[in-house]
Amino acid sequence: MSKICVRISLTTLICLLWIGSTSHALFWQDPPLVAINDQSWNRQDFLNWWQEWKEPGMEQPQSPDDFIDWILLSDEAEQMQLYDEPRFKQKVHTFLKVRSLMMLKNEEVDEKISVSDEEIDRIYHRDYTPLLKLRSIELDSEEQCAAFMQAVSQGLSSDEVLADPLLQLPQTGLSEPIVQRPNQLPPHVRTLYEQDPQTRYLPAYSYQDRWFILEIMQRDPGNDNDRANVAESISYTLRKDKQRELTGQLNMRLMEKYQVKMDEQGMKRIHEDGPEEDVAEAAMITFPDFTITGQILYKNALSHYQRFGGKEMKDTSFEEIVQRVANDIVAQSLTSMEALNRHYESKPPFQSVYFFYQRHRLIRELESKLILPYTQVSDEELSHYYNEHREDYAYPVRVRYASVETRNEKMALKLREDLRQGADFYQTLSPLSPAGIETKTTPLAHLIPEMQDLIDRLQPGQSDMLEVDGYFHFIRLIEEPKVDYKPFDQIRDALKAQLTQAKFSQRRAELVAQLRQRTTITVNQNQWQRCLNELNKGQ
């Protein structure tokens, strides 16, 4: 009996804990980090938020205030039902669609791709070796090619055959040797090579009204160093091939799953001048909830045809482009449908990312309604701020002066005395600079401290001498040091952005203060310290 009572009491306790306030944790759970009215947020909620919130170089938070403000603003947006705004829906749907497609691709394609050393070896020996040292012999006709091949079959070298006056072959037709891998050969040349990989001379072929014979002078079987140099390129090619194969398999499965039908015979009747009459409104592609008619498919194919080459698309008919565009429409539509139907947003790791993005977009909508309308800056405000803060836009103080120097102390002292007696600065000091005394304009702060002090004592037109490190400097102040300011037009756009941001920050702070004033907020300091410990551990 006592055991039954104990069980009933324990069950009752669990139920009471469960149906209590959401700000209280069950005894086997961590208590909440933050309680806001009747909502609670735990440490993992904060860590998930921080993962999305932080930016490169951002310091770790010293309090959960930014997290709390983010919650308050997004809750306010939710209460205003801003999730019904078309812009919010469009942004969130696009984000969900793009990220879901990425996860579908990763799940069905990327995670299934692996490349082994054996596969790399197979491609290396098939496409990359041997390294062929070859040269081409360019001739005028097929008959000359036959004569050349007949001569080399008797044991003569290419040089000997071309030098034979009886054959009368072009003397300039022998190219410099180059080294090529089999996969670097043009397709038609590789076909000739693969017919007899050990031959020295490939069969003659014509190209742009000329005839060519390729001579394979040497075959290098390759080595481990060469393989290592091309392994990454081989691996990349193999991965792309497997990606195409797995993508094709996925599309086939999805076509069967969603029962998509394509009228391939009807598509063949869509031409460059338009679809045939009975095809235009007929369904060429049928999805579960929509169709693509011949006219729609034609417009898409024509746009592709015009954008990617038109008549310059050699060996590609318009009907082939129709089929290609149809395949693309099916693939894109099916993968989008499947990606969304898998609901990645309802499970980790995307769940927390999607939750953050939704609430962050809600805050953006809130800002557009309650903050941005109050951040407009008028021309009068800009002008007033500029005039009140002109010193913030001042260039460094500049000074214009003439100077000359000497290391001759005796001469310097005599010249200084002459100047003090009223002698002309330029005439008196001309022996120190026969080519003329230089006039300079420079920021005052760039001068040495002693020279700054001297200029500070002078009036325009006055001069004096200064000794520094064995040099005797004669300085004549031409103009009073003055301050120039950046023109208003030069800083207008930057200033407008600055004042707009200031108004935005102020308005946002006022809104947050209002929300905090009518909200009960509790922070568990022990849980906050655990958050900080985890952030520090992750550094």
Side-chain angles (χ1 to χ4, degrees):
M1 182 68 178
S2 61
K3 290 183 178 179
I4 295 175
C5 290
V6 169
R7 288 173 183 165
I8 292 174
S9 299
L10 182 57
T11 304
T12 304
L13 175 60
I14 291 173
C15 290
L16 288 173
L17 287 170
W18 181 258
I19 63 177
S21 171
T22 57
S23 63
H24 296 287
L26 301 179
F27 61 82
W28 61 81
Q29 294 178 328
D30 283 340
L33 167 65
V34 174
I36 301 176
N37 290 337
D38 59 348
Q39 294 183 354
S40 63
W41 303 77
N42 59 32
R43 284 186 301 113
Q44 193 57 51
D45 293 328
F46 170 81
L47 294 173
N48 290 339
W49 169 83
W50 174 249
Q51 185 64 31
E52 302 303 321
W53 178 265
K54 67 180 180 181
E55 296 179 356
M58 182 181 288
E59 294 184 358
Q60 290 185 3
Q62 299 305 306
S63 75
D65 286 346
D66 286 341
F67 178 55
I68 293 171
D69 294 346
W70 183 81
I71 295 170
L72 294 174
L73 290 169
S74 58
D75 282 351
E76 182 70 9
E78 200 167 25
Q79 291 178 19
M80 293 173 63
Q81 299 182 348
L82 296 181
Y83 44 73
D84 286 332
E85 290 291 321
R87 180 172 53 186
F88 171 81
K89 291 181 178 180
Q90 185 268 327
K91 292 280 188 181
V92 170
H93 178 74
T94 300
F95 177 77
L96 176 60
K97 180 179 177 180
V98 171
R99 294 295 289 268
S100 296
L101 280 169
M102 291 170 59
M103 284 181 284
L104 176 67
K105 176 178 177 293
N106 184 64
E107 194 173 274
E108 292 291 343
V109 178
D110 296 344
E111 288 183 351
K112 297 180 179 181
I113 294 176
S114 62
V115 175
S116 66
D117 287 340
E118 290 74 16
E119 290 176 295
I120 293 177
D121 283 338
R122 176 174 60 83
I123 300 299
Y124 177 68
H125 292 300
R126 186 190 73 184
D127 295 338
Y128 287 76
T129 60
L131 282 79
L132 305 173
K133 182 179 181 181
L134 49 83
R135 60 181 175 177
S136 67
I137 297 95
E138 182 179 351
L139 301 171
D140 296 330
S141 65
E142 189 174 7
E143 292 73 22
Q144 287 186 351
C145 291
F148 179 91
M149 294 296 282
Q150 175 66 27
V152 295
S153 68
Q154 297 174 4
L156 297 176
S157 69
S158 300
D159 298 276
E160 291 172 334
V161 172
L162 293 175
D164 188 341
L166 297 178
L167 295 177
Q168 297 183 343
L169 299 178
Q171 301 296 304
T172 59
L174 195 61
S175 71
E176 291 294 323
I178 61 172
V179 176
Q180 295 272 278
R181 301 182 188 274
N183 65 346
Q184 293 175 317
L185 299 173
H188 65 282
V189 174
R190 183 168 183 178
T191 300
L192 296 175
Y193 164 73
E194 290 177 345
Q195 290 173 357
D196 187 1
Q198 300 306 315
T199 187
R200 184 175 182 88
Y201 294 95
L202 300 186
Y205 65 91
S206 64
Y207 179 72
Q208 293 185 349
D209 298 327
R210 302 293 293 167
W211 285 85
F212 297 88
I213 296 173
L214 288 183
E215 178 185 3
I216 301 177
M217 305 171 67
Q218 182 179 332
R219 291 172 173 82
D220 183 343
N223 52 59
D224 290 344
N225 286 337
D226 181 60
R227 179 194 178 282
N229 288 334
V230 297
E232 185 176 347
S233 176
I234 294 174
S235 178
Y236 175 81
T237 301
L238 285 170
R239 287 182 176 277
K240 297 299 288 186
D241 290 343
K242 292 185 177 185
Q243 186 182 80
R244 282 191 291 270
E245 181 182 355
L246 289 168
T247 301
Q249 294 173 2
L250 173 62
N251 290 335
M252 293 302 295
R253 293 198 304 273
L254 295 180
M255 283 191 68
E256 183 176 352
K257 176 179 178 179
Y258 292 100
Q259 299 181 339
V260 175
K261 297 178 181 179
M262 300 177 69
D263 185 353
E264 296 188 4
Q265 293 303 315
M267 292 180 195
K268 293 178 180 178
R269 298 169 60 194
I270 300 176
H271 313 294
E272 186 176 354
D273 57 353
E276 295 180 16
E277 185 175 352
D278 59 333
V279 170
E281 299 305 321
M284 295 294 101
I285 308 174
T286 303
F287 292 96
D289 52 358
F290 67 96
T291 60
I292 303 294
T293 65
Q295 186 65 31
I296 294 174
L297 184 56
Y298 166 72
K299 289 181 178 180
N300 279 272
L302 184 63
S303 174
H304 181 94
Y305 190 62
Q306 293 171 340
R307 193 189 326 165
F308 295 105
K311 297 295 184 181
E312 296 180 7
M313 299 181 71
K314 297 180 180 178
D315 304 322
T316 304
S317 68
F318 186 80
E319 290 73 17
E320 289 173 317
I321 292 174
V322 170
Q323 184 65 56
R324 185 185 305 172
V325 169
N327 291 339
D328 289 344
I329 291 174
V330 169
Q332 292 172 13
S333 300
L334 286 177
T335 50
S336 295
M337 291 164 58
E338 178 67 11
L340 292 174
N341 286 340
R342 293 199 179 186
H343 295 290
Y344 292 107
E345 74 278 9
S346 64
K347 52 194 173 185
F350 184 54
Q351 185 178 32
S352 61
V353 176
Y354 182 65
F355 176 78
F356 175 90
Y357 185 81
Q358 280 185 306
R359 296 185 74 88
H360 205 61
R361 286 307 318 173
L362 279 173
I363 293 174
R364 289 288 176 264
E365 293 299 324
L366 181 76
E367 291 170 347
S368 70
K369 300 288 185 184
L370 302 183
I371 298 178
L372 290 179
Y374 301 93
T375 61
Q376 302 302 314
V377 179
S378 67
D379 290 340
E380 291 75 15
E381 288 178 283
L382 288 173
S383 179
H384 178 75
Y385 186 93
Y386 174 77
N387 291 327
E388 290 292 318
H389 300 83
R390 288 193 70 195
E391 295 303 320
D392 295 342
Y393 306 101
Y395 288 111
V397 176
R398 302 175 69 83
V399 60
R400 188 162 181 256
Y401 64 97
S403 70
V404 66
E405 63 186 36
T406 181
R407 300 195 68 173
N408 188 324
E409 180 179 4
K410 184 177 181 180
M411 176 183 288
L413 294 175
K414 181 180 184 306
L415 292 174
R416 182 181 66 177
E417 187 60 32
D418 292 342
L419 291 175
R420 289 180 173 177
Q421 296 298 322
D424 180 77
F425 179 85
Y426 295 97
Q427 290 182 356
T428 303
L429 300 178
S430 61
L432 301 182
S433 182
I437 297 175
E438 183 180 7
T439 297
K440 304 175 183 178
T441 301
T442 188
L444 185 61
H446 289 186
L447 301 177
I448 59 176
E450 295 87 346
M451 194 172 291
Q452 292 183 41
D453 292 340
L454 175 61
I455 289 178
D456 190 53
R457 297 195 304 267
L458 297 176
Q459 296 294 322
Q462 293 182 341
S463 60
D464 205 343
M465 187 191 78
L466 175 69
E467 180 186 358
V468 179
D469 296 332
Y471 283 88
F472 297 88
H473 302 267
F474 289 90
I475 306 294
R476 177 185 174 85
L477 182 61
I478 298 177
E479 291 181 2
E480 190 79 32
K482 63 178 181 178
V483 179
D484 290 325
Y485 299 91
K486 295 179 182 178
F488 176 75
D489 290 341
Q490 182 178 327
I491 57 92
R492 185 183 188 282
D493 292 343
L495 178 58
K496 185 173 184 178
Q498 173 190 332
L499 296 185
T500 299
Q501 182 58 45
K503 284 191 172 186
F504 180 93
S505 299
Q506 180 181 355
R507 180 73 180 181
R508 188 180 189 276
E510 291 171 353
L511 177 58
V512 168
Q514 293 173 14
L515 296 176
R516 280 177 170 268
Q517 192 172 16
R518 65 176 193 238
T519 306
T520 301
I521 302 170
T522 304
V523 177
N524 186 317
Q525 294 300 327
N526 289 333
Q527 291 298 305
W528 173 243
Q529 188 58 51
R530 291 183 65 183
C531 285
L532 292 179
N533 293 341
E534 291 192 44
L535 292 178
N536 291 330
K537 186 169 59 177
Q539 285 186 328

